[in-house]
Amino acid sequence: MFPLMESGLWMSLGAKAFDLWSLRRSVGVQASGVHTTIELIGRNRPGLLSEVFAVLTDLKCNVVAAEVWTHNSRMASVVYITDEATGGPIDDADRLSKIKQLLRYVLKGNRDKRSANTAISLGVTHTERRLHQMMYADRDYDRGDADEEESPSDRRKLQVTVENCTDKGYSVVNVRCKDRPKLLFDTVCTLTDMQYVVFHATLIAEGPEAYQEYYIRHSDGLPISSEAERQRLILCLEAAIKRRNTEGVRLELCCDDRVGLLSDVTRIFRENGLTVTCAEVSTRGSQAVNVFYVMDASGNPVQSRTIEAIRNEIGEAILHVKDDMYSKSSPQDGGKFSFGNIFRSRSEKFLYSLGLIRPDS
C-alpha cells in the first residue's frame, strides 16, 4: 500500500544538511576518514563520464563508489575516491587542487555557460539528498536550458498542481505520477530545500500510479503568495521526480574491482556512440557492482547489435542487459484531484512519526 515510504528519510533532512550557498560550484572536494568525496555538476554531453573517470585514473585515483544523475541537459555526480597507492583518502592540498582544476576543465567543455569556481565541500550529507540539492541549485528545473521540448505524453504521466486553501492558510500540493521507489524521498527533500514545511500529507499507491497531497506553508508561516512562486514550485517538483527516472537500457556490470575499470568501461560506451543517463557505482569487498543506463548519442534507444558489440568487448559473463520496461497505462483524466479524509489518518501518523509534518498551529 505504501511503497513510497523510505527508511532514513528524516535523517537525510536533518540539521547537518548542506547550506544552499555552498552548492554553486562545478567541482567540490572533501576528504573523510576513508575516502575523498568529489562533487561534479555541469552540462551533460556524450562521453562526459568517460572523460571524468579517465582523468581520475590518470591522477592515480581509484573510484570506490559514485552516483550520477542527468536531467534537462545537466549532469550531477557524487564520486568517492581513494588513493591508488595507499587505499586511503587523498588529503594533499596541491593534489586536490590539481584534481579540481582538471575536472573543472572537463566539465566546462566549450558549451557550459553555468560553470562556476571550484571549492571544497563543507559537510557531509546523504548522497541522493546532495544530488537533489546540487541540481536544484544549478536550476535544472529551468526548461529554457533543455535541448528538446517535453512531449505531451510525458506531461500526462506527471501532474503537479498547487492551490491555496485560503480558509486554513495552507497551500495544497497535489502530485500524480508513476509510482516508484524513493518517490516520497524526492518530493519531500525538494519541499524541504525550498523552505516549505509539511503540516499534513496523504500518500496513496494504486496500481502503477502514486498520488501525493501535501498541505504546506513557507518557513515564515505563510502560504504561497504569488503566481511566480507557484509556478516555480511546480517546476521544481517535476524536476525532482524526473531526475531519478531512468531512461535507456540498463546494463549491470559485476566483476573483480581494479583501478581504471570505470575508465575502460565508459570509454567503450563512448567509442560505441552511447551516452550514460544514470549510473550507480559501488564496491563490495573485492567486487565492483555497477549499473549504467545508456542511450545513443542522440537520445534514442540503443540498437541490439551495439549492445552485443559492447558485451563482446567487455565480457558477456560480467556485463548483463536488463531492459528498462515502463508500464503502459491509459492516460488518466488531466483535471484537478484531491484525496478523501479516509486515507489521511494513516499516512499522517507515519509522516508525523518521522517529524516531517507538524500538527495544526
Side-chain angles (χ1 to χ4, degrees):
M1 181 65 179
F2 294 99
L4 297 166
M5 299 175 181
E6 304 293 332
S7 62
L9 174 60
W10 175 237
M11 291 179 63
S12 69
L13 299 176
K16 292 184 179 180
F18 283 97
D19 292 329
L20 289 180
W21 66 266
S22 68
L23 303 182
R24 294 189 178 277
R25 285 96 182 209
S26 57
V27 183
V29 179
Q30 174 196 353
S32 72
V34 294
H35 56 248
T36 300
T37 304
I38 302 177
E39 297 173 357
L40 312 170
I41 192 157
R43 184 179 181 88
N44 191 33
R45 67 177 189 276
L48 175 59
L49 203 58
S50 172
E51 295 174 25
V52 167
F53 289 141
V55 166
L56 292 174
T57 299
D58 289 343
L59 294 175
K60 307 300 181 183
C61 302
N62 183 38
V63 178
V64 296
E67 188 146 359
V68 181
W69 289 359
T70 62
H71 175 248
N72 204 5
S73 82
R74 307 300 293 172
M75 184 280 293
S77 178
V78 177
V79 184
Y80 302 96
I81 64 171
T82 57
D83 181 79
E84 178 182 331
T86 66
I90 301 171
D91 52 13
D92 178 79
D94 292 337
R95 189 176 177 190
L96 291 176
S97 177
K98 184 177 182 180
I99 290 172
K100 290 190 292 181
Q101 180 181 6
L102 291 178
L103 288 177
R104 186 174 70 246
Y105 178 79
V106 168
L107 288 169
K108 186 174 182 179
N110 60 2
R111 296 184 64 192
D112 192 359
K113 300 176 182 178
R114 297 186 187 172
S115 291
N117 294 326
T118 61
I120 295 177
S121 302
L122 300 174
V124 179
T125 192
H126 189 286
T127 300
E128 294 167 346
R129 174 81 190 284
R130 182 60 170 159
L131 287 169
H132 275 304
Q133 292 176 323
M134 291 165 64
M135 298 200 90
Y136 169 63
D138 193 54
R139 298 178 63 90
D140 73 312
Y141 55 85
D142 185 355
R143 295 189 188 132
D145 193 51
D147 292 327
E148 296 181 0
E149 290 294 328
E150 191 176 30
S151 68
S153 61
D154 289 337
R155 293 290 299 161
R156 286 194 295 266
K157 294 176 184 177
L158 171 60
Q159 298 175 23
V160 180
T161 64
V162 179
E163 297 178 338
N164 278 348
C165 181
T166 55
D167 59 330
K168 297 291 187 180
Y170 295 115
S171 294
V172 184
V173 178
N174 285 310
V175 180
R176 179 164 64 185
C177 62
K178 182 179 181 292
D179 191 21
R180 61 165 172 76
K182 300 189 178 181
L183 181 59
L184 173 63
F185 179 94
D186 296 339
T187 53
V188 175
C189 277
T190 298
L191 290 170
T192 302
D193 287 336
M194 295 183 72
Q195 305 300 311
Y196 293 108
V197 178
V198 178
F199 287 84
H200 305 285
T202 300
L203 314 170
I204 303 173
E206 293 181 336
E209 284 197 317
Y211 306 86
Q212 302 174 72
E213 181 179 70
Y214 299 99
Y215 283 75
I216 66 170
R217 292 177 184 150
H218 200 266
S219 56
D220 60 9
L222 299 176
I224 291 173
S225 58
S226 69
E227 177 62 19
E229 183 184 2
R230 188 181 76 86
Q231 290 295 333
R232 183 168 177 265
L233 176 56
I234 291 174
L235 290 177
C236 289
L237 286 173
E238 289 177 345
I241 293 169
K242 292 176 183 177
R243 287 170 194 149
R244 201 191 292 269
N245 283 343
T246 51
E247 296 182 330
V249 177
R250 178 184 172 105
L251 302 178
E252 298 179 355
L253 177 71
C254 184
C255 61
D256 291 335
D257 189 29
R258 60 175 174 82
V259 175
L261 173 65
L262 289 170
S263 176
D264 292 341
V265 170
T266 53
R267 172 183 53 79
I268 293 171
F269 291 165
R270 185 192 70 225
E271 291 172 348
N272 283 272
L274 301 188
T275 183
V276 177
T277 62
C278 183
E280 298 177 13
V281 174
S282 61
T283 306
R284 301 173 186 173
S286 62
Q287 291 287 299
V289 182
N290 305 329
V291 176
F292 303 94
Y293 289 85
V294 297
M295 304 181 76
D296 74 11
S298 301
N300 298 316
V302 183
Q303 296 184 2
S304 59
R305 64 174 178 269
T306 303
I307 295 295
E308 290 308 309
I310 291 172
R311 294 190 67 206
N312 288 335
E313 188 168 358
I314 295 176
E316 295 183 359
I318 63 175
L319 184 65
H320 302 277
V321 181
K322 303 289 184 179
D323 284 333
D324 195 10
M325 303 300 292
Y326 294 94
S327 300
K328 304 294 183 181
S329 56
S330 300
Q332 301 295 321
D333 176 66
K336 301 173 183 177
F337 57 93
S338 185
F339 305 116
N341 292 331
I342 187 172
F343 299 104
R344 182 162 291 126
S345 176
R346 185 175 178 182
S347 58
E348 279 189 2
K349 286 181 179 178
F350 176 81
L351 290 180
Y352 182 77
S353 69
L354 292 179
L356 296 179
I357 63 174
R358 297 180 183 176
D360 289 324
S361 56

